[in-house]
Amino acid sequence: MEPGIGAAQHIRQVLVFFVFLEGSSVLSTTWNYSVPEEMETGSSIANIIKDMDVGDLAARGARVIFDDYHPYLRLELETGNLFLNEKLDREALCSTGEACILHFQVLLENPLQFFQAELLIEDINDHTPTFLEKLIFLNISEGATPGTSFQVENAQDLDIGINGIQNYSISPNPYFYLKLKDSGKGRIYPELVLARSLDREKEASISLILTATDGGSLPRSGTVLVQVAVLDVNDNAPEFEKTLYEVQVPENSSVDSLVIKVSATDLDSGINGEISYSFSHSSRDVQKTFKIHPISGEVHLKTLLDFEVIQSYTLNVQAIDGGGLSGKSAIIVQVTDVNDNPPEIVITSLMSPIPENCLSEMVVAVFNLRDQDSGENGRMICSIQDKLPFLLKPTFRNFYTLVTEHPLDRESRAEYNITITVSDLGTPRLTTQHTITVQVSDINDNSPAFTQISYTMFVRENNSPALHIGTISATDSDSGYNAHITYSLLQPHDLQLDLTSLISINADNGQLFVLRALDYEALQAFEFRVGAMDHGSPALSSQALVRLVVLDDNDNAPFVLYPLQNASAPCTELLPRAAEPGYLVTKVVAVDRDSGQNAWLSFQLLKATEPGLFSVWAHNGEVRTTRLLSERDVPKHRLVLLVKDNGDPPRSASVTLHVLVVDGFSQPYLPLPEVARNPAREEDALTLYLVIALASVSSLFLLSVLLFVGVRLCRRARAASLGGYSEPEGHFPAHLMDFSGAGTLSQSYQYEVCLTGRSASKDIQFLKPVSQP
């Protein structure tokens, strides 16, 4: 480490330490000292004891500290004198244009006290003016006019003030004189002024000596040689080979490719004959697209060309010689097209959806084709897919219309994706495709269609009210509101009943309901029509036939026609005692208002006085004897028969028969009424009956025989008059008629019942079967 630097660091540490001590003082007064530069080392500058009145410097630890910590001065503690520690060079320490002042402090450590001081370094004339260049060249045209000024380089002097440069002078000559120009900052600059015209042919070169002098007490000066070259007058401008150049450049030319080379000539020599090329009055497009070599005149591309943006450029070219004269020419650059742009499709109008009942050649879309290329590259052909009901028609220039070929059918196809294909005729061909979607809107042109032409539905009688019996369904090929179907009942003209009181239909889903219970015996089947109507405008409808078949339920018990069970006295059948086995005692006749197997009747003997004496045929109800009667058999028999149908569950009715065994049809009998008897009075009643029977048997039997004979004679006479057909007297009630023929009373039998007016007894005569004609 250098001693000066170490001392400075030590002093800095001491200063930092004493700054924080209390009682320190810094005087605001500044002592100014000056010294000429280049004064010898050890020269005395001042005495600080006298100036600052600080007492004993050694005891107080005095120090001299400069701002840059360099020991320019040395303090003698015993005397207080300040001596130069080294020679001071003002130009080295300070800039040339400013006063050179070094700031320093005198530090007293005990007690701590600071004194501020300044050392002014005075300039002396110790530097000679110098020129930077050893030789100054000036090129002056022989055509320069007198009074023209030519600036020359000025000299440099490191001294300042009066010691700086104060004057310039030039060696005597007939052509130039010197003019000084003040810069405004205390400096002057020399200019050569042409006193008269030059003539290169007489003197091609002039040498001058320029002298710079400062203002010191002993002036110093510096010189430089000025060599003036008289230049030839440029009286010939450059000329191009052509006033107009034309060139064609493909738009796909690469960057830096050569466009054209221009050339110009100049009859002058030297610099006047040296030509440089450039663009003049060029547009921004030209400047960013082309560049020209200043020496060779070659024009190259700076960027890629685009025929679709700019088809031609006009380049104004100038050739300038060294004297400033120029010649002009123009270059026309034609950009040739290449097929680098595919065709463009611009849809200007699109109608979607379109109604399916549209007319032929209805305009669906209008579009425009565009290709930025030219010639064959810009010619285009347009097409769409095959097998579509659409046509392309050219209209104006490159406008096309897409029209319908014929009316459409939405039900067969509701949407079309139409791809428009456009190709140009360039090489290679470029193709563009654009797909548009055309929706077909629905028109109410389809009536609702039932899934079946007719429907057959079944319902069992005695059904519950509002019973769902089935659903009819219709579809409509239309869509939206046109396909919304409403169902309704159509009142038939030939149905006696009110249909709306029997059937109801859900207008939305076609469900059919029976509103009330049906009776098979009253109504077996009926037909009606239902309608389906859409909500289009106008509305369309269709009909379907519905046949409702009522299924029989076993809800009627068999009804006994014979013997009648509601008579006041029971019916008594007569059985001769001599009857053979299999003798027909009687036939029970019954009917059932149900149908089918619900009306199939069977007969069964439930009770009998003599169980083995009688039998009943299960299918026709005939009661016959099974054996001969004996003397031990009781004369009166009571039979209980059960008539049962074949329904599920089966229904039945019972009938009671009284059979009286007689020794012949002449034996009278009294029927025993089915009345309740009092056991206490049974013997008295029996005696009364016997007396009455004995009294009237003879007369009743005789009357019966006579009446029977008379009736038979009358019937035979009537039968003979009617062709042998015998019609039984009287008739059954209407409500006992068998409509279906399913009962046991066959039309092949007729029975004649004869009633007497004097008694409750009944006679029945079995006749032979009579076939209806």
Side-chain angles (χ1 to χ4, degrees), residues 129-137 152-155 168-171 190 207-212 222-227:
T130 58
F131 289 90
L132 297 180
E133 300 291 339
K134 299 299 183 180
L135 179 63
I136 298 177
F137 288 96
V152 293
E153 293 294 333
N154 62 316
Y168 287 91
S169 61
I170 195 169
S171 59
S207 297
L208 303 173
I209 296 176
L210 179 63
T211 303
T223 61
V224 66
L225 178 61
V226 179
Q227 190 70 38

Side-chain angles (χ1 to χ4, degrees), residues 455-656:
Y455 297 83
T456 301
M457 299 181 182
F458 300 89
V459 60
R460 190 168 294 279
E461 66 172 332
N462 302 319
N463 58 282
S464 59
L467 176 67
H468 176 230
I469 59 174
T471 302
I472 61 172
S473 177
T475 58
D476 196 318
S477 300
D478 296 321
S479 65
Y481 209 60
N482 296 329
H484 186 69
I485 298 176
T486 299
Y487 300 92
S488 62
L489 294 176
L490 303 179
Q491 180 68 33
H493 300 291
D494 55 349
L495 188 63
Q496 301 298 328
L497 297 175
D498 182 13
L499 182 62
T500 58
S501 65
L502 292 177
I503 303 297
S504 174
I505 188 171
N506 190 316
D508 295 326
N509 54 28
Q511 292 182 347
L512 290 172
F513 300 88
V514 177
L515 298 180
R516 59 184 177 87
L518 299 180
D519 187 3
Y520 172 83
E521 289 71 31
L523 185 63
Q524 286 80 31
F526 62 93
E527 295 179 348
F528 59 92
R529 289 188 172 274
V530 292
M533 179 179 293
D534 59 27
H535 287 194
S537 178
L540 301 178
S541 63
S542 60
Q543 298 180 6
L545 179 65
V546 179
R547 176 179 174 80
L548 182 61
V549 178
V550 183
L551 301 178
D552 182 44
D553 199 4
N554 192 24
D555 58 344
N556 292 283
F559 183 80
V560 179
L561 297 177
Y562 181 84
L564 294 177
Q565 297 298 301
N566 58 352
S568 59
C571 179
T572 302
E573 304 292 341
L574 300 180
L575 175 62
R577 187 175 292 278
E580 296 293 331
Y583 178 82
L584 180 60
V585 179
T586 186
K587 180 179 176 68
V588 178
V589 180
V591 294
D592 196 320
R593 296 182 63 187
D594 296 323
S595 65
Q597 67 177 11
N598 294 329
W600 296 350
L601 301 182
S602 61
F603 300 87
Q604 181 182 356
L605 182 61
L606 292 180
K607 294 181 181 180
T609 305
E610 291 290 340
L613 180 58
F614 300 95
S615 66
V616 61
W617 285 24
H619 299 295
N620 57 14
E622 293 180 351
V623 179
R624 297 179 181 270
T625 60
T626 59
R627 60 178 175 83
L628 293 174
L629 278 77
S630 63
E631 294 296 335
R632 292 180 298 179
D633 292 329
V634 296
K636 294 185 290 184
H637 295 269
R638 182 175 179 270
L639 304 179
V640 179
L641 278 70
L642 179 66
V643 183
K644 183 173 64 173
D645 60 22
N646 198 34
D648 184 20
R651 292 179 177 269
S652 62
S654 62
V655 59
T656 302

Side-chain angles (χ1 to χ4, degrees), residues 94-108:
C94 303
S95 62
T96 58
E98 299 177 358
C100 187
I101 299 176
L102 299 179
H103 299 274
F104 66 95
Q105 294 82 30
V106 177
L107 171 64
L108 302 178

